[in-house]
Amino acid sequence: MFGFISKNIITGLVTILPVVLTLYLLYWFAVSIESVLGSLIQAIIPTEWYWPGMGLAAGLLVFFIAGLMMNAYVVQRLFAKSEQVFYHMPLVRSVYPTIRDFFDYFSPATRKEFEQVVAVTLGETGMQVIGFVTQPLSERMPESLREEDSVLVYLPLSYMIGGYAVLIPRSAIRPLDMTIEEAMRFTLTAGMTGAGFDHGTAAKPESRPEPGPETGKHADSSTDTPAQQSQKE
């Protein structure tokens, strides 16, 4: 009884908690922007001109303009140079790179290639393995690993017992038309499930034919010998 109750409580918690945390995070983000920029706007314009939500709208506008400016090469280089200050500050340099890498995951500029599933050709053997591009930008790698036109690819082992992060030339990889989830499932089971396998559409076993005369069951009377027919009569 207690096992049944605890199992359902945990199932409900796992189901609801991610939704609640996501909504709370969005709420906290919106309230924080509104609080900071709203106060700044009220200090600039008359109070009667201010309406709730203006700080959030101003924040979204700032993010949009910053993203628009980052499309310019000059702005990118200036930002990269100024960003080096954080990499050399004590204490900050141990925290900032982690935060930067986390938010880079959501960047549209790198997300497409970061989430790319590729097939890696092993030399001239013709063999190929499935991998995931984890770092397409050479400037984001250690200096000793920086090579022109090379990417960092993670090669997982079956059943997720480990893997290898390998620096590979772009010429040795080719993109695959698979999602991350499909590729992970495929490699996790060593390909036994097949690509795009749907458990709900598994093939049903073929119906077996009725036993014929050779089994001695359901034999038609027309196959009896004349002696057997006379006995039946």
Side-chain angles (χ1 to χ4, degrees):
M1 184 64 180
F2 291 103
F4 175 78
I5 295 175
S6 61
K7 177 183 178 181
N8 284 276
I9 291 177
I10 294 175
T11 301
L13 185 65
V14 171
T15 303
I16 297 176
L17 194 58
V19 178
V20 173
L21 291 178
T22 301
L23 294 177
Y24 178 77
L25 181 62
L26 293 175
Y27 171 78
W28 172 82
F29 185 72
V31 170
S32 298
I33 295 178
E34 175 67 23
S35 177
V36 174
L37 295 182
S39 302
L40 183 61
I41 293 175
Q42 292 183 49
I44 297 176
I45 64 175
T47 306
E48 58 271 13
W49 290 5
Y50 177 81
W51 47 268
M54 188 175 288
L56 179 60
L60 295 177
L61 181 62
V62 170
F63 296 149
F64 173 77
I65 294 176
L68 198 63
M69 293 177 61
M70 286 301 295
N71 292 323
Y73 177 77
V74 176
V75 177
Q76 292 180 7
R77 299 308 300 173
L78 289 176
F79 180 80
K81 291 292 184 182
S82 60
E83 193 180 32
Q84 293 299 319
V85 176
F86 295 98
Y87 288 99
H88 293 87
M89 292 177 62
L91 298 180
V92 177
R93 63 185 179 187
S94 61
V95 178
Y96 180 77
T98 304
I99 299 176
R100 163 57 61 187
D101 292 340
F102 173 77
F103 283 100
D104 276 347
Y105 173 79
F106 302 96
S107 174
T110 59
R111 185 174 176 83
K112 180 179 179 181
E113 201 164 5
F114 179 83
E115 287 194 340
Q116 193 173 40
V117 182
V118 295
V120 180
T121 303
L122 302 179
E124 299 180 355
T125 61
M127 293 189 297
Q128 296 183 345
V129 295
I130 295 178
F132 305 92
V133 177
T134 58
Q135 186 51 261
L137 305 176
S138 59
E139 58 268 20
R140 305 289 296 179
M141 302 182 195
E143 293 185 4
S144 57
L145 284 178
R146 294 178 185 177
E147 293 186 7
E148 289 295 330
D149 206 28
S150 294
V151 296
L152 197 65
V153 180
Y154 177 69
L155 304 178
L157 300 178
S158 298
Y159 301 102
M160 300 306 294
I161 60 175
Y164 301 94
V166 186
L167 188 65
I168 301 175
R170 291 179 183 268
S171 58
I173 63 175
R174 71 179 172 85
L176 295 179
D177 188 17
M178 299 176 67
T179 64
I180 291 292
E181 291 76 15
E182 290 175 346
M184 290 297 290
R185 189 184 307 115
F186 187 80
T187 55
L188 176 63
T189 60
M192 290 190 297
T193 59
F197 178 77
D198 187 356
H199 293 279
T201 59
K204 296 181 179 180
E206 296 182 358
S207 58
R208 305 182 71 173
E210 292 292 335
E214 65 278 3
T215 61
K217 298 180 181 179
H218 304 287
D220 191 83
S221 60
S222 60
T223 60
D224 292 342
T225 62
Q228 291 173 334
Q229 291 180 3
S230 62
Q231 290 176 0
K232 291 181 179 179
E233 295 175 356

